[in-house]
Amino acid sequence: MAADKILIVEDDPQHLFMLTTLTGDWGYASQSAKNGEEAVALCAKKEFSLILMDVRLGPSLDGLAAMRKIREGPLNKDTPVIVMTALMNFPDAVQAIKDGASDYLTKPLDFEALRKAMEQAVKAKAAADAGEGPPAGARKAPAHGHAGKAGPAEQDPHGAFLQGESPAFKNIMTSVELAASTDSVVLITGESGVGKEVIARLIQERSQRNSKPFVTINCAALADMIVESELFGHRKGAFTGADQKREGRIKAGDGGTVFLDEIAETSTGFQAKLLRTIQQGEIQPLGSDEAEKVDVRFIVATNRDIKKEVEEGRFRRDLYYRIEVITIHVPPLRERKEDILPLANHFVRKFVSQHGRPGLKGLSAQAEAAILGYAWPGNIRELQNAMERAVLLATSDTITDKYVPKADGGVGAPVPST
């Protein structure tokens, strides 16, 4: 069998022609199927190095069902499958990965991402056939289990466990699973304090880059010249004060993940350079005429309405389209009240242990009611700080409503004078 023989399963004639032409230019020999039944029949007769599978294939047998049937046969049970869809459907994506898809790409396709995914999949297939690695169709399992309620092993970088009962929390965790299974850019949106960096770190920890660096940059804290130097690096003499060569933070994250917090705070000039880095996988340090290749996965975050920023000309439209491949919106606590008490009780347990107050049993019913009635404008960050304060100030074996924020704006009892 030719090492570059691939099967393209696509019911749209124009997309099929485009993919056949494109993959042919990349050196692959392809066959095609216009529906799931044809794909299953072909795979029963011939072994392929790779399958490109559209999800929406008509009423009878969709792409995911076809992939499962193909996996049952002897010839292509370990053949890598790259799933393609025009709809970013998180449950479908997670199910595809669980069923053994090697990657999940959305349309319109990023051709460079497709080419790289195909190269990696075909190499994995060749290595598996030679007995040099795991089956090519097998995907590395998430580092911490499945989507749903987070367990005690799932810690954020500040030591706070991810806790939640709401549908919104479960959707976030499902989205994390999808994001961790790919190398696509992730956009995380939400108010300050909702835990955007925690989500970014969790994606990194569950991804195949989990042993590589996680580099975080707060774009809002840096001026334009400084943020470019911080990210891309500079050469000696690039600007006043640049008395020596410096590698940028993106270079430091080579092989891992770069998290850009408050991306909407940057200038459009910087955004143009970032777009090139994301698209081309290269950086150009300040003062240098040569670009350098880097292998990083970008996760970006903002607390602004980024669509409004685009419409008002403060954020580049082309960069927005490039970073919205996978979007995870983290709602504020006031919109997911089911998560407030699990988080509050977790923080109480954490600070009881941390501050050596083993006699403190927890929150009273009145304190819980007050906590639920408060809007938490600072979200999880504010909740964590409030619970630490309550643990420190409580004078009995139970935290009463005297020590927690009130719906009327009160902030609890004052710190006792010494």
Side-chain angles (χ1 to χ4, degrees), residues 364-371 399-406 411-413:
S364 69
Q366 293 83 0
E368 289 185 345
I371 288 170
I399 297 172
T400 68
D401 60 349
K402 178 181 179 181
Y403 300 107
V404 299
K406 306 294 197 301
V411 292

Side-chain angles (χ1 to χ4, degrees), residues 173-196:
M173 296 304 294
T174 300
S175 302
V176 166
E177 297 290 350
L178 169 61
S181 70
T182 77
D183 260 350
S184 299
V185 183
V186 180
L187 170 63
I188 306 175
T189 63
E191 294 179 3
S192 294
V194 294
K196 297 187 288 295

Side-chain angles (χ1 to χ4, degrees), residues 8 15-28 30:
I8 304 173
H15 287 164
L16 178 59
F17 176 78
M18 176 192 67
L19 287 170
T20 301
T21 303
L22 196 61
T23 56
D25 290 342
W26 293 339
Y28 298 97
S30 66

Side-chain angles (χ1 to χ4, degrees), residues 263-272 304-320:
I263 186 67
E265 303 290 338
T266 59
S267 69
T268 55
F270 168 79
Q271 292 163 20
R304 293 191 183 187
D305 182 342
I306 197 163
K307 290 184 179 179
K308 183 178 179 181
E309 296 294 304
V310 171
E311 293 303 321
E312 296 183 358
R314 291 188 294 270
F315 197 86
R316 290 180 64 100
R317 190 177 299 272
D318 49 5
L319 179 58
Y320 170 67

